[in-house]
Amino acid sequence: TKPQVQIMAADQQSSKSYGWFPKHFDSQVIIYGKQVIINLVNQKGSEKPLEQTFATMVSSLGSGMIRYIVFDFHKKYKNMRWNPLSILLDQVAEIQDELNYFLVDSAGKVVTNQEGMFPSNCMDCLDRTNVILSLLACRFLQAQLQRPGVLHVGQNLEEQDEFEKIYKNVWADNANAGAKQYARNCTLKTDFTRTGKRTQLGLIRNGWNSLKLYYKINYSDGFR
């Protein structure tokens, strides 16, 4: 069965887990700059305590270099309605522009620097996370292609059918590669990553993959 989330009591906050949390983000800020954490776990059920504790720990850091955004992925997209993805993208668009990206011109001169990153998570950081990161990466890539005129201002990558197909398949294959290392099974939600929409066929495949994953975790390959 799915492991239950267990949160340590407040009197254990001096333990290694709590001690390493600020150290981890201190090092992330030093290396990458601003941190915009996107937490995609459920806001109810067994995942809720994990989000609440994560939010409390981030708040306790009191760092102006760290922002925390919680987005209940499954609640927003129940009944196969995926349009609300744009809500999250719109919410972070200004922040994403502020963080910028690294760019060097043909003479080797640094034109722009990346000022931060988007660490994100779901429960295993394969399904929900991969969908969101693929969309954030697409938005950055579009800006990068518009800058030298490969794409005109106002022209979207979604309009480039052949390229979009290749791009989405790369991200879906990336998710599957990680999932097979993690649990010897394909990841879920790749129908959305590959096609940009949730389909009935994809839902059936997800159900089949979930059954295979359940069997492998509980009966054949639990050590992973």
Side-chain angles (χ1 to χ4, degrees):
T1 58
K2 182 179 178 180
Q4 291 298 309
V5 175
Q6 295 183 352
I7 307 297
M8 289 181 290
D11 60 359
Q12 295 177 299
Q13 291 188 8
S14 60
S15 67
K16 289 184 178 180
S17 294
Y18 284 85
W20 278 108
F21 190 84
K23 292 180 181 179
H24 167 72
F25 278 105
D26 283 346
S27 67
Q28 293 295 93
V29 169
I30 291 172
I31 298 171
Y32 300 109
K34 295 178 180 178
Q35 303 288 296
V36 184
I37 302 168
I38 301 179
N39 196 343
L40 304 169
V41 302
N42 296 341
Q43 293 285 285
K44 63 179 182 180
S46 62
E47 296 184 13
K48 183 178 180 179
L50 185 62
E51 188 282 314
Q52 291 177 325
T53 305
F54 197 174
T56 299
M57 294 178 72
V58 172
S59 178
S60 70
L61 297 177
S63 173
M65 296 291 286
I66 301 173
R67 295 188 62 171
Y68 181 79
I69 297 171
V70 60
F71 192 80
D72 191 331
F73 191 101
H74 286 151
K75 181 180 179 181
K76 297 292 184 181
Y77 305 113
K78 62 182 179 180
N79 301 324
M80 298 177 67
R81 293 178 297 174
W82 289 72
N83 288 338
L85 273 174
S86 59
I87 296 175
L88 177 60
L89 294 179
D90 291 344
Q91 185 178 351
V92 301
E94 187 175 338
I95 302 171
Q96 192 174 9
D97 292 339
E98 177 188 327
L99 297 185
N100 216 332
Y101 51 84
F102 181 71
L103 178 66
V104 177
D105 64 18
S106 58
K109 179 183 177 181
V110 176
V111 180
T112 61
N113 267 311
Q114 182 177 337
E115 303 293 341
M117 61 182 292
F118 287 93
S120 62
N121 71 282
C122 48
M123 284 302 289
D124 54 18
C125 298
L126 290 171
D127 303 322
R128 290 167 270 184
T129 301
N130 193 69
V131 169
I132 294 302
L133 289 182
S134 70
L135 295 175
L136 289 172
C138 184
R139 189 174 182 275
F140 260 143
L141 182 58
Q142 180 168 295
Q144 291 168 336
L145 293 176
Q146 286 176 343
R147 189 162 190 145
V150 176
L151 290 177
H152 302 300
V153 176
Q155 193 176 15
N156 298 319
L157 279 176
E158 288 81 1
E159 299 168 355
Q160 319 306 312
D161 294 338
E162 285 302 312
F163 176 82
E164 186 187 29
K165 182 179 178 180
I166 295 171
Y167 175 84
K168 288 181 175 179
N169 278 322
V170 166
W171 272 92
D173 291 345
N174 172 68
N176 281 337
K180 287 176 180 178
Q181 289 179 350
Y182 175 61
R184 285 178 53 198
N185 194 59
C186 292
T187 188
L188 310 180
K189 301 180 179 67
T190 50
D191 60 320
F192 177 81
T193 309
R194 292 188 193 280
T195 67
K197 58 185 177 182
R198 201 78 165 98
T199 63
Q200 289 287 352
L201 179 59
L203 194 64
I204 293 172
R205 286 174 176 166
N206 279 356
W208 173 241
N209 283 329
S210 294
L211 286 174
K212 289 195 296 181
L213 184 60
Y214 177 86
Y215 175 82
K216 288 176 179 178
I217 288 176
N218 289 281
Y219 299 108
S220 69
D221 201 20
F223 72 93
R224 285 176 181 262

